[in-house]
């Protein structure tokens, strides 16, 4: 049974462990230097989002971070990728947090396909990420039901 709990600062070590395992599996386009850069930067953003830890039968499967109507981060332990957990988490966030926007690395083909499959569309693209690094970012939006 999928459950969540709100993360507290004592959980940040677990969050970073999941983040690193997930990124190493899904972001093969990142250089090692940039992986270390982002790993150092991520903790600065955890307090800025509503950070939820997701569990299946008491086992941590991943985490999500939302801010207003934006999904700022969704990372799963690679052991749970491809087993519908991402869809379950995203569905819950769409229903309960009214997620309407997501930014995704254009080079992360699986994430792009995942969000497009769940009804998001590409609104725009930036050639670099928020740090000015050469990783194009797709800005995805979800149409509201009545639009």
């Amino acid at each position: 049974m999928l459950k969540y709990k709100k993360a507290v600062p004592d959980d940040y070590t677990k969050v970073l462990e999941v983040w690193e395992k997930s990124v190493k599996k899904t972001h093969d386009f990142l250089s090692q230097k940039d992986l270390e850069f982002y790993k150092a930067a991520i903790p600065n953003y955890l307090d800025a989002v509503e950070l939820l830890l997701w569990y299946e039968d008491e086992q941590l499967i991943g985490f999500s971070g939302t801010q207003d109507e934006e999904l700022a981060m969704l990372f799963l332990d690679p052991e749970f990728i491809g087993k519908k957990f991402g869809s379950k988490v995203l569905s819950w966030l769409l229903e309960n947090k009214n997620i309407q926007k997501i930014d995704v690395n254009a080079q992360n083909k699986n994430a792009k396909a995942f969000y497009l499959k769940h009804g998001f569309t590409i609104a725009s693209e930036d050639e670099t990420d928020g740090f000015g690094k050469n990783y194009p970012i797709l800005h995805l939006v979800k149409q509201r039901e009545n639009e």
Side-chain angles (χ1 to χ4, degrees):
M1 176 99 183
L2 188 66
K3 294 185 261 181
Y4 70 90
K5 79 166 194 139
K6 199 165 194 161
V8 296
D10 285 348
D11 295 318
Y12 290 0
T13 300
K14 289 187 284 192
V15 167
L16 288 173
E17 287 171 6
V18 169
W19 177 87
E20 186 171 15
K21 284 195 287 185
S22 183
V23 167
K24 284 181 176 179
K25 178 76 173 177
T26 61
H27 291 62
D28 57 358
F29 51 88
L30 285 181
S31 69
Q32 184 61 37
K33 181 180 173 188
D34 284 338
L35 176 75
E36 294 302 322
F37 171 84
Y38 293 118
K39 184 178 176 182
I42 288 291
N44 299 321
Y45 296 93
L46 298 179
D47 288 333
V49 297
E50 181 179 14
L51 192 61
L52 300 178
L53 302 179
W54 293 91
Y55 292 88
E56 176 74 12
D57 298 327
E58 309 306 317
Q59 185 167 5
L60 179 64
I61 63 161
F63 68 91
S64 63
T66 57
Q67 187 176 45
D68 301 320
E69 293 184 338
E70 182 171 4
L71 178 58
M73 49 186 82
L74 174 57
F75 291 90
L76 297 181
D77 184 304
E79 184 180 330
F80 297 97
I81 292 174
K83 298 180 179 178
K84 305 290 185 204
F85 289 109
S87 293
K88 290 177 185 177
V89 170
L90 182 60
S91 293
W92 188 92
L93 293 168
L94 289 168
E95 288 178 32
N96 295 279
K97 298 297 177 183
N98 196 30
I99 297 302
Q100 301 296 318
K101 298 185 285 186
I102 299 169
D103 287 349
V104 67
N105 289 98
Q107 294 154 301
N108 188 341
K109 304 292 187 214
N110 289 335
K112 176 184 168 185
F114 172 79
Y115 292 117
L116 294 177
K117 181 180 92 174
H118 284 86
F120 286 84
T121 58
I122 300 170
S124 63
E125 181 176 356
D126 290 330
E127 291 184 20
T128 59
D129 69 10
F131 296 100
K133 293 192 176 284
N134 194 27
Y135 299 109
I137 299 295
L138 300 175
H139 304 286
L140 308 179
V141 296
K142 185 147 178 76
Q143 295 295 100
R144 296 182 193 268
E145 296 301 318
N146 57 0
E147 290 182 17

Short mmCIF file of all heavy atoms in Angstrom, two decimals, residues 11-58:
data_model
loop_
_atom_site.label_atom_id
_atom_site.label_comp_id
_atom_site.label_asym_id
_atom_site.label_seq_id
_atom_site.Cartn_x
_atom_site.Cartn_y
_atom_site.Cartn_z
N ASP A 11 15.27 13.69 7.71
CA ASP A 11 15.08 12.78 6.58
C ASP A 11 15.94 13.14 5.38
O ASP A 11 16.01 12.38 4.41
CB ASP A 11 13.61 12.79 6.13
CG ASP A 11 12.66 12.26 7.17
OD1 ASP A 11 13.00 11.25 7.82
OD2 ASP A 11 11.57 12.85 7.33
N TYR A 12 16.59 14.29 5.42
CA TYR A 12 17.29 14.78 4.23
C TYR A 12 18.41 13.85 3.77
O TYR A 12 18.67 13.75 2.57
CB TYR A 12 17.83 16.20 4.45
CG TYR A 12 16.75 17.26 4.52
CD1 TYR A 12 15.39 16.94 4.40
CD2 TYR A 12 17.08 18.59 4.71
CE1 TYR A 12 14.42 17.92 4.46
CE2 TYR A 12 16.11 19.58 4.77
CZ TYR A 12 14.78 19.24 4.65
OH TYR A 12 13.83 20.22 4.70
N THR A 13 19.06 13.16 4.67
CA THR A 13 20.10 12.21 4.27
C THR A 13 19.50 11.11 3.41
O THR A 13 20.06 10.76 2.35
CB THR A 13 20.79 11.60 5.51
OG1 THR A 13 21.38 12.67 6.26
CG2 THR A 13 21.87 10.62 5.11
N LYS A 14 18.34 10.59 3.81
CA LYS A 14 17.65 9.55 3.02
C LYS A 14 17.24 10.11 1.66
O LYS A 14 17.35 9.43 0.64
CB LYS A 14 16.42 9.03 3.76
CG LYS A 14 16.71 8.18 4.96
CD LYS A 14 15.46 7.56 5.52
CE LYS A 14 14.66 8.58 6.28
NZ LYS A 14 13.57 8.03 7.08
N VAL A 15 16.74 11.34 1.65
CA VAL A 15 16.32 11.98 0.41
C VAL A 15 17.50 12.07 -0.56
O VAL A 15 17.38 11.72 -1.74
CB VAL A 15 15.72 13.37 0.69
CG1 VAL A 15 15.57 14.19 -0.59
CG2 VAL A 15 14.37 13.24 1.39
N LEU A 16 18.62 12.51 -0.05
CA LEU A 16 19.80 12.66 -0.92
C LEU A 16 20.31 11.31 -1.41
O LEU A 16 20.79 11.20 -2.55
CB LEU A 16 20.90 13.41 -0.19
CG LEU A 16 20.61 14.90 -0.01
CD1 LEU A 16 21.67 15.55 0.87
CD2 LEU A 16 20.51 15.60 -1.34
N GLU A 17 20.20 10.27 -0.60
CA GLU A 17 20.60 8.93 -1.04
C GLU A 17 19.71 8.46 -2.20
O GLU A 17 20.21 7.94 -3.20
CB GLU A 17 20.52 7.94 0.12
CG GLU A 17 21.61 8.11 1.15
CD GLU A 17 21.39 7.27 2.40
OE1 GLU A 17 20.44 6.45 2.45
OE2 GLU A 17 22.17 7.44 3.35
N VAL A 18 18.41 8.65 -2.06
CA VAL A 18 17.49 8.27 -3.14
C VAL A 18 17.76 9.12 -4.37
O VAL A 18 17.82 8.60 -5.49
CB VAL A 18 16.01 8.40 -2.69
CG1 VAL A 18 15.07 8.26 -3.88
CG2 VAL A 18 15.68 7.38 -1.62
N TRP A 19 17.94 10.42 -4.16
CA TRP A 19 18.21 11.32 -5.28
C TRP A 19 19.44 10.85 -6.06
O TRP A 19 19.39 10.74 -7.29
CB TRP A 19 18.41 12.75 -4.78
CG TRP A 19 18.74 13.70 -5.88
CD1 TRP A 19 17.86 14.38 -6.67
CD2 TRP A 19 20.05 14.04 -6.36
NE1 TRP A 19 18.55 15.12 -7.61
CE2 TRP A 19 19.89 14.94 -7.43
CE3 TRP A 19 21.34 13.69 -5.97
CZ2 TRP A 19 20.97 15.48 -8.12
CZ3 TRP A 19 22.42 14.22 -6.66
CH2 TRP A 19 22.22 15.10 -7.73
N GLU A 20 20.53 10.56 -5.36
CA GLU A 20 21.76 10.19 -6.05
C GLU A 20 21.61 8.86 -6.79
O GLU A 20 22.03 8.75 -7.96
CB GLU A 20 22.92 10.11 -5.06
CG GLU A 20 24.25 9.86 -5.75
CD GLU A 20 25.44 10.00 -4.83
OE1 GLU A 20 25.27 10.01 -3.59
OE2 GLU A 20 26.56 10.08 -5.36
N LYS A 21 21.01 7.88 -6.17
CA LYS A 21 20.80 6.59 -6.85
C LYS A 21 19.93 6.78 -8.10
O LYS A 21 20.21 6.22 -9.15
CB LYS A 21 20.14 5.57 -5.91
CG LYS A 21 21.07 4.99 -4.89
CD LYS A 21 20.51 3.74 -4.23
CE LYS A 21 19.41 4.04 -3.27
NZ LYS A 21 18.94 2.86 -2.53
N SER A 22 18.87 7.56 -7.96
CA SER A 22 17.96 7.79 -9.07
C SER A 22 18.64 8.54 -10.21
O SER A 22 18.52 8.16 -11.38
CB SER A 22 16.74 8.58 -8.58
OG SER A 22 15.81 8.76 -9.61
N VAL A 23 19.36 9.59 -9.87
CA VAL A 23 20.01 10.40 -10.91
C VAL A 23 21.08 9.58 -11.64
O VAL A 23 21.20 9.68 -12.86
CB VAL A 23 20.59 11.70 -10.30
CG1 VAL A 23 21.53 12.40 -11.27
CG2 VAL A 23 19.44 12.64 -9.91
N LYS A 24 21.83 8.78 -10.90
CA LYS A 24 22.85 7.95 -11.56
C LYS A 24 22.20 6.97 -12.55
O LYS A 24 22.79 6.65 -13.58
CB LYS A 24 23.68 7.19 -10.52
CG LYS A 24 24.69 8.09 -9.84
CD LYS A 24 25.52 7.33 -8.83
CE LYS A 24 26.59 8.24 -8.24
NZ LYS A 24 27.41 7.54 -7.24
N LYS A 25 21.00 6.54 -12.26
CA LYS A 25 20.29 5.59 -13.13
C LYS A 25 19.60 6.29 -14.31
O LYS A 25 19.54 5.75 -15.41
CB LYS A 25 19.26 4.82 -12.29
CG LYS A 25 18.42 3.85 -13.05
CD LYS A 25 19.18 2.59 -13.37
CE LYS A 25 18.25 1.57 -13.97
NZ LYS A 25 18.93 0.37 -14.38
N THR A 26 19.07 7.49 -14.07
CA THR A 26 18.20 8.12 -15.07
C THR A 26 18.81 9.32 -15.80
O THR A 26 18.27 9.75 -16.81
CB THR A 26 16.89 8.60 -14.42
OG1 THR A 26 17.20 9.58 -13.41
CG2 THR A 26 16.13 7.44 -13.80
N HIS A 27 19.89 9.87 -15.28
CA HIS A 27 20.48 11.08 -15.87
C HIS A 27 21.89 10.78 -16.39
O HIS A 27 22.86 11.42 -16.01
CB HIS A 27 20.54 12.21 -14.84
CG HIS A 27 19.22 12.77 -14.44
ND1 HIS A 27 18.24 12.02 -13.83
CD2 HIS A 27 18.70 14.01 -14.57
CE1 HIS A 27 17.19 12.78 -13.60
NE2 HIS A 27 17.44 13.99 -14.04
N ASP A 28 21.99 9.81 -17.28
CA ASP A 28 23.31 9.40 -17.78
C ASP A 28 23.99 10.48 -18.62
O ASP A 28 25.16 10.37 -18.95
CB ASP A 28 23.22 8.09 -18.55
CG ASP A 28 22.25 8.16 -19.72
OD1 ASP A 28 21.61 9.20 -19.93
OD2 ASP A 28 22.13 7.14 -20.43
N PHE A 29 23.27 11.54 -18.93
CA PHE A 29 23.83 12.65 -19.70
C PHE A 29 24.62 13.63 -18.83
O PHE A 29 25.33 14.48 -19.34
CB PHE A 29 22.71 13.40 -20.44
CG PHE A 29 21.57 13.80 -19.54
CD1 PHE A 29 21.58 15.00 -18.85
CD2 PHE A 29 20.48 12.95 -19.39
CE1 PHE A 29 20.52 15.35 -18.02
CE2 PHE A 29 19.41 13.30 -18.56
CZ PHE A 29 19.45 14.50 -17.88
N LEU A 30 24.51 13.52 -17.50
CA LEU A 30 25.23 14.41 -16.60
C LEU A 30 26.70 14.00 -16.49
O LEU A 30 27.01 12.82 -16.37
CB LEU A 30 24.64 14.36 -15.19
CG LEU A 30 23.32 15.05 -14.91
CD1 LEU A 30 22.95 14.88 -13.44
CD2 LEU A 30 23.37 16.52 -15.27
N SER A 31 27.57 14.99 -16.48
CA SER A 31 28.98 14.70 -16.20
C SER A 31 29.11 14.43 -14.69
O SER A 31 28.25 14.85 -13.90
CB SER A 31 29.86 15.89 -16.59
OG SER A 31 29.62 16.98 -15.71
N GLN A 32 30.17 13.75 -14.29
CA GLN A 32 30.40 13.48 -12.87
C GLN A 32 30.55 14.79 -12.10
O GLN A 32 30.04 14.93 -10.99
CB GLN A 32 31.64 12.60 -12.68
CG GLN A 32 31.90 12.19 -11.24
CD GLN A 32 30.76 11.37 -10.63
OE1 GLN A 32 30.15 10.55 -11.30
NE2 GLN A 32 30.48 11.59 -9.35
N LYS A 33 31.21 15.76 -12.71
CA LYS A 33 31.41 17.07 -12.08
C LYS A 33 30.05 17.73 -11.82
O LYS A 33 29.82 18.28 -10.74
CB LYS A 33 32.28 17.94 -12.97
CG LYS A 33 32.57 19.31 -12.43
CD LYS A 33 33.45 20.11 -13.39
CE LYS A 33 33.59 21.53 -12.92
NZ LYS A 33 34.25 22.37 -13.92
N ASP A 34 29.16 17.68 -12.80
CA ASP A 34 27.84 18.29 -12.63
C ASP A 34 26.98 17.50 -11.64
O ASP A 34 26.21 18.09 -10.88
CB ASP A 34 27.13 18.45 -13.97
CG ASP A 34 27.70 19.61 -14.78
OD1 ASP A 34 28.32 20.51 -14.18
OD2 ASP A 34 27.54 19.60 -16.01
N LEU A 35 27.12 16.18 -11.63
CA LEU A 35 26.40 15.39 -10.63
C LEU A 35 26.78 15.84 -9.23
O LEU A 35 25.91 16.05 -8.37
CB LEU A 35 26.71 13.89 -10.81
CG LEU A 35 26.08 12.98 -9.77
CD1 LEU A 35 24.59 12.82 -10.02
CD2 LEU A 35 26.76 11.63 -9.76
N GLU A 36 28.06 16.04 -8.99
CA GLU A 36 28.53 16.51 -7.68
C GLU A 36 28.01 17.93 -7.40
O GLU A 36 27.65 18.25 -6.26
CB GLU A 36 30.05 16.46 -7.60
CG GLU A 36 30.62 15.06 -7.65
CD GLU A 36 30.10 14.14 -6.54
OE1 GLU A 36 29.91 14.61 -5.40
OE2 GLU A 36 29.87 12.95 -6.82
N PHE A 37 27.98 18.78 -8.42
CA PHE A 37 27.46 20.14 -8.26
C PHE A 37 26.01 20.12 -7.80
O PHE A 37 25.63 20.78 -6.83
CB PHE A 37 27.60 20.90 -9.59
CG PHE A 37 26.90 22.23 -9.58
CD1 PHE A 37 27.52 23.36 -9.06
CD2 PHE A 37 25.60 22.37 -10.08
CE1 PHE A 37 26.87 24.59 -9.04
CE2 PHE A 37 24.95 23.59 -10.06
CZ PHE A 37 25.59 24.70 -9.54
N TYR A 38 25.18 19.33 -8.50
CA TYR A 38 23.75 19.27 -8.15
C TYR A 38 23.55 18.61 -6.78
O TYR A 38 22.68 19.03 -6.02
CB TYR A 38 22.96 18.52 -9.22
CG TYR A 38 22.91 19.25 -10.54
CD1 TYR A 38 23.45 18.70 -11.68
CD2 TYR A 38 22.32 20.51 -10.64
CE1 TYR A 38 23.42 19.37 -12.89
CE2 TYR A 38 22.28 21.19 -11.83
CZ TYR A 38 22.83 20.62 -12.96
OH TYR A 38 22.80 21.29 -14.15
N LYS A 39 24.35 17.61 -6.48
CA LYS A 39 24.25 16.94 -5.18
C LYS A 39 24.50 17.94 -4.05
O LYS A 39 23.82 17.89 -3.01
CB LYS A 39 25.25 15.78 -5.11
CG LYS A 39 25.16 14.98 -3.84
CD LYS A 39 26.13 13.82 -3.87
CE LYS A 39 26.13 13.06 -2.56
NZ LYS A 39 27.12 11.98 -2.57
N ALA A 40 25.43 18.84 -4.25
CA ALA A 40 25.71 19.87 -3.24
C ALA A 40 24.60 20.92 -3.19
O ALA A 40 24.32 21.50 -2.13
CB ALA A 40 27.06 20.52 -3.52
N ALA A 41 23.96 21.17 -4.33
CA ALA A 41 22.93 22.22 -4.41
C ALA A 41 21.57 21.77 -3.88
O ALA A 41 20.83 22.57 -3.29
CB ALA A 41 22.78 22.70 -5.85
N ILE A 42 21.22 20.51 -4.07
CA ILE A 42 19.88 20.01 -3.73
C ILE A 42 19.47 20.33 -2.29
O ILE A 42 18.34 20.77 -2.07
CB ILE A 42 19.79 18.49 -4.01
CG1 ILE A 42 19.76 18.23 -5.52
CG2 ILE A 42 18.59 17.85 -3.34
CD1 ILE A 42 18.50 18.68 -6.22
N PRO A 43 20.32 20.14 -1.29
CA PRO A 43 19.87 20.42 0.08
C PRO A 43 19.36 21.85 0.28
O PRO A 43 18.51 22.09 1.13
CB PRO A 43 21.11 20.15 0.93
CG PRO A 43 21.90 19.17 0.13
CD PRO A 43 21.67 19.56 -1.30
N ASN A 44 19.85 22.79 -0.52
CA ASN A 44 19.42 24.18 -0.40
C ASN A 44 17.97 24.39 -0.83
O ASN A 44 17.39 25.43 -0.54
CB ASN A 44 20.32 25.08 -1.23
CG ASN A 44 21.76 25.02 -0.77
OD1 ASN A 44 22.04 24.97 0.42
ND2 ASN A 44 22.68 25.00 -1.72
N TYR A 45 17.40 23.41 -1.52
CA TYR A 45 16.04 23.56 -2.04
C TYR A 45 15.01 22.73 -1.29
O TYR A 45 13.81 22.90 -1.52
CB TYR A 45 16.02 23.19 -3.54
CG TYR A 45 16.85 24.14 -4.35
CD1 TYR A 45 18.19 23.85 -4.62
CD2 TYR A 45 16.34 25.35 -4.78
CE1 TYR A 45 18.97 24.74 -5.33
CE2 TYR A 45 17.11 26.25 -5.50
CZ TYR A 45 18.44 25.94 -5.77
OH TYR A 45 19.21 26.82 -6.45
N LEU A 46 15.45 21.86 -0.42
CA LEU A 46 14.50 20.95 0.23
C LEU A 46 13.53 21.68 1.16
O LEU A 46 12.37 21.27 1.27
CB LEU A 46 15.26 19.85 0.99
CG LEU A 46 16.12 18.94 0.10
CD1 LEU A 46 16.84 17.91 0.95
CD2 LEU A 46 15.30 18.29 -1.00
N ASP A 47 13.97 22.74 1.79
CA ASP A 47 13.07 23.49 2.67
C ASP A 47 12.09 24.36 1.89
O ASP A 47 11.10 24.84 2.46
CB ASP A 47 13.87 24.38 3.63
CG ASP A 47 14.58 23.58 4.70
OD1 ASP A 47 14.11 22.48 5.04
OD2 ASP A 47 15.62 24.06 5.20
N ALA A 48 12.35 24.59 0.61
CA ALA A 48 11.50 25.47 -0.20
C ALA A 48 10.29 24.76 -0.80
O ALA A 48 9.43 25.39 -1.38
CB ALA A 48 12.33 26.10 -1.32
N VAL A 49 10.25 23.43 -0.64
CA VAL A 49 9.15 22.65 -1.22
C VAL A 49 8.44 21.87 -0.13
O VAL A 49 8.98 21.68 0.97
CB VAL A 49 9.67 21.66 -2.30
CG1 VAL A 49 10.29 22.40 -3.47
CG2 VAL A 49 10.63 20.64 -1.71
N GLU A 50 7.22 21.45 -0.44
CA GLU A 50 6.55 20.50 0.44
C GLU A 50 7.11 19.14 0.06
O GLU A 50 6.81 18.61 -1.01
CB GLU A 50 5.04 20.53 0.27
CG GLU A 50 4.38 19.55 1.23
CD GLU A 50 2.87 19.53 1.14
OE1 GLU A 50 2.30 20.07 0.16
OE2 GLU A 50 2.25 18.97 2.05
N LEU A 51 7.95 18.61 0.92
CA LEU A 51 8.69 17.40 0.63
C LEU A 51 8.00 16.20 1.26
O LEU A 51 7.81 16.15 2.47
CB LEU A 51 10.11 17.55 1.18
CG LEU A 51 11.15 16.53 0.78
CD1 LEU A 51 11.38 16.54 -0.73
CD2 LEU A 51 12.46 16.82 1.50
N LEU A 52 7.59 15.26 0.41
CA LEU A 52 6.92 14.06 0.88
C LEU A 52 7.79 12.84 0.59
O LEU A 52 8.34 12.71 -0.51
CB LEU A 52 5.56 13.88 0.19
CG LEU A 52 4.55 15.00 0.39
CD1 LEU A 52 3.28 14.70 -0.39
CD2 LEU A 52 4.23 15.22 1.86
N LEU A 53 7.88 11.96 1.56
CA LEU A 53 8.55 10.68 1.38
C LEU A 53 7.48 9.65 1.08
O LEU A 53 6.45 9.60 1.74
CB LEU A 53 9.29 10.27 2.66
CG LEU A 53 10.34 11.23 3.18
CD1 LEU A 53 10.95 10.69 4.46
CD2 LEU A 53 11.42 11.48 2.14
N TRP A 54 7.73 8.81 0.08
CA TRP A 54 6.75 7.82 -0.36
C TRP A 54 7.23 6.43 0.01
O TRP A 54 8.39 6.09 -0.22
CB TRP A 54 6.53 7.94 -1.87
CG TRP A 54 5.86 9.24 -2.19
CD1 TRP A 54 6.46 10.43 -2.49
CD2 TRP A 54 4.45 9.49 -2.19
NE1 TRP A 54 5.51 11.39 -2.69
CE2 TRP A 54 4.27 10.84 -2.50
CE3 TRP A 54 3.34 8.70 -1.95
CZ2 TRP A 54 3.02 11.43 -2.60
CZ3 TRP A 54 2.08 9.29 -2.04
CH2 TRP A 54 1.94 10.63 -2.36
N TYR A 55 6.32 5.64 0.58
CA TYR A 55 6.63 4.31 1.08
C TYR A 55 5.68 3.27 0.50
O TYR A 55 4.51 3.55 0.30
CB TYR A 55 6.49 4.25 2.61
CG TYR A 55 7.52 5.07 3.34
CD1 TYR A 55 7.30 6.42 3.61
CD2 TYR A 55 8.71 4.50 3.76
CE1 TYR A 55 8.24 7.18 4.28
CE2 TYR A 55 9.66 5.24 4.44
CZ TYR A 55 9.42 6.58 4.70
OH TYR A 55 10.36 7.33 5.36
N GLU A 56 6.22 2.09 0.28
CA GLU A 56 5.42 0.91 -0.05
C GLU A 56 5.77 -0.12 1.01
O GLU A 56 6.93 -0.55 1.10
CB GLU A 56 5.75 0.41 -1.45
CG GLU A 56 5.03 -0.85 -1.83
CD GLU A 56 3.55 -0.67 -2.14
OE1 GLU A 56 3.08 0.47 -2.28
OE2 GLU A 56 2.85 -1.69 -2.25
N ASP A 57 4.79 -0.49 1.82
CA ASP A 57 5.02 -1.47 2.89
C ASP A 57 6.25 -1.12 3.72
O ASP A 57 7.16 -1.93 3.91
CB ASP A 57 5.17 -2.89 2.31
CG ASP A 57 3.91 -3.34 1.61
OD1 ASP A 57 2.81 -2.95 2.05
OD2 ASP A 57 4.01 -4.09 0.62
N GLU A 58 6.30 0.10 4.18
CA GLU A 58 7.36 0.60 5.07
C GLU A 58 8.71 0.79 4.39
O GLU A 58 9.68 1.18 5.04
CB GLU A 58 7.54 -0.31 6.31
CG GLU A 58 6.26 -0.61 7.07
CD GLU A 58 5.46 0.63 7.50
OE1 GLU A 58 6.08 1.60 7.97
OE2 GLU A 58 4.23 0.62 7.34
#
